[in-house]
Amino acid sequence: MSDALINGLAGAGGGIIAQIITYPLQTVNARQQTERDLKKEKRKVGAIEQMCQVVKQEGWERLYGGLTPSLVGTAASQGVYYYFYQIFRNKAETAALQGQKKGIGDGSVGMLSSLVVAALSGCVNVLLTNPIWVVVTRMQTHTKISKKDHSNRLATTAPEETALPVIEPLSYGTSHVIQEVYDEAGLFGFWKGVFPTLIMVSNPSIQFMLYETMLKKLKKRRALSKQGNNGVTALEIFLLGALAKLGATVVTYPLLVVKSRLQAKQVTTGDKRHHYKGTLDAILKMIRYEGFAGFYKGMNTKIIQSVLAAAVLFMVKEELVKGVRLLLIKDGINTMKPKPL
């Protein structure tokens, strides 16, 4: 089994576990990012309070709306990312060693090379998995409208129709969302938000650059210590992953908000402030109607969710990689042992 495949599978496993643990925070954050009701915005609601409101008004299942496609997306994204990351990383390490032979560098992959490797891996990941995240965002931001609420809306707009028992369908599964996106914009609709997402590959690029830089320094410090042990514990991996993700999230959060706005269901009638024709249109309307503060809606929730998810992902991934390699070594030893006659 290749090192790239081991890292890809370990990344997928770590991503799934982190996703399940932090998914309710993701759902709340997606709603905060796409909220454009000025009346609701006047009263700031924290993540915990908003989760309680969702449970009370819509039920526990809405906190996990879109979980199935999200898990598929997480497994695909992390698997694709780590697979190509390891391939590009191996090439970068080979190039660094060749450079050392020519008298260039010390043979290690530098910070700039790490950034390029992470960016290339991120671009491949975005182009392949963006359709999945369009579906997930739609399902996370979809809210159920009760019969009572719908009747109130009808009463304020068309009194003669209040007797009609029309409510929004409670069924909003993956197939329904896929059909809805296709009906709205065809195949192109599944790549909504791809431009800010491609720019946002700088997030994992910065994240991995910070992570590997801190990890390298920690291992070097351990190697120089009296014990001479450069091993890193799971807790240390957890903390390094959290710090790296925190720095990356603060820098790239505005792009995440724009992406969520584009991928959420567009309001084609009524207030034009709620309808975005594209990335530039979304940015200009957000600046005009909401100010720069609009680009940081739900940032507190996102920091908590993303830092926790990244920390869990790194910790689980490293442990899975160690476990698989250990099993492969043991299998190799067992196969080399002579069979009893």
Side-chain angles (χ1 to χ4, degrees), residues 185-200:
L187 289 175
F188 181 76
F190 292 98
W191 274 269
K192 281 186 175 181
V194 72
F195 293 113
T197 308
L198 280 173
I199 299 173
M200 210 172 65

Side-chain angles (χ1 to χ4, degrees), residues 67-297:
L67 178 61
T68 300
S70 180
L71 290 178
V72 173
T74 297
S77 293
Q78 297 299 333
V80 168
Y81 186 88
Y82 280 109
Y83 179 78
F84 283 98
Y85 180 85
Q86 195 61 45
I87 289 176
F88 294 141
R89 179 78 182 183
N90 291 340
K91 291 183 178 180
E93 289 175 350
T94 301
L97 290 174
Q98 291 177 350
Q100 185 183 27
K101 292 179 181 179
K102 296 178 182 179
I104 303 173
D106 59 357
S108 63
V109 179
M111 191 175 296
L112 180 60
S113 296
S114 295
L115 186 64
V116 172
V117 166
L120 289 174
S121 305
C123 287
V124 174
N125 176 34
V126 167
L127 292 174
L128 292 178
T129 63
N130 194 77
I132 300 174
W133 299 114
V134 171
V135 173
V136 171
T137 302
R138 289 286 183 107
M139 296 182 76
Q140 286 178 331
T141 55
H142 173 73
T143 57
K144 293 180 180 179
I145 301 176
S146 65
K147 189 172 182 180
K148 179 180 178 181
D149 292 338
H150 191 82
S151 298
N152 290 337
R153 292 187 185 184
L154 289 173
T156 59
T157 57
E160 67 276 11
E161 298 178 2
T162 55
L164 294 176
V166 180
I167 61 173
E168 185 174 353
L170 299 182
S171 177
Y172 198 69
T174 304
S175 59
H176 182 277
V177 178
I178 292 173
Q179 187 63 50
E180 180 183 77
V181 174
Y182 183 79
D183 290 342
E184 288 179 7
L187 289 175
F188 181 76
F190 292 98
W191 274 269
K192 281 186 175 181
V194 72
F195 293 113
T197 308
L198 280 173
I199 299 173
M200 210 172 65
V201 297
S202 57
N203 183 294
S205 299
I206 296 170
Q207 174 187 347
F208 277 90
M209 180 184 67
L210 293 173
Y211 171 74
E212 294 203 348
T213 300
M214 291 187 292
L215 182 61
K216 185 178 179 180
K217 288 183 178 180
L218 181 60
K219 287 184 175 180
K220 185 179 291 186
R221 183 179 297 178
R222 288 283 169 80
L224 295 173
S225 64
K226 294 181 180 179
Q227 292 81 6
N229 179 23
N230 62 348
V232 182
T233 66
L235 178 59
E236 288 169 333
I237 292 293
F238 183 95
L239 294 175
L240 290 179
L243 288 173
K245 190 62 179 180
L246 176 61
T249 300
V250 172
V251 173
T252 61
Y253 190 76
L255 289 170
L256 185 62
V257 176
V258 174
K259 183 208 73 169
S260 296
R261 294 284 183 98
L262 291 170
Q263 292 182 344
K265 187 174 182 179
Q266 298 292 306
V267 180
T268 56
T269 58
D271 199 334
K272 293 182 179 180
R273 295 178 300 176
H274 296 182
H275 177 64
Y276 304 129
K277 297 177 182 178
T279 303
L280 182 60
D281 184 51
I283 293 173
L284 293 176
K285 284 183 177 178
M286 288 178 67
I287 293 174
R288 180 179 178 183
Y289 298 115
E290 303 174 58
F292 287 101
F295 291 97
Y296 289 92
K297 286 184 176 179

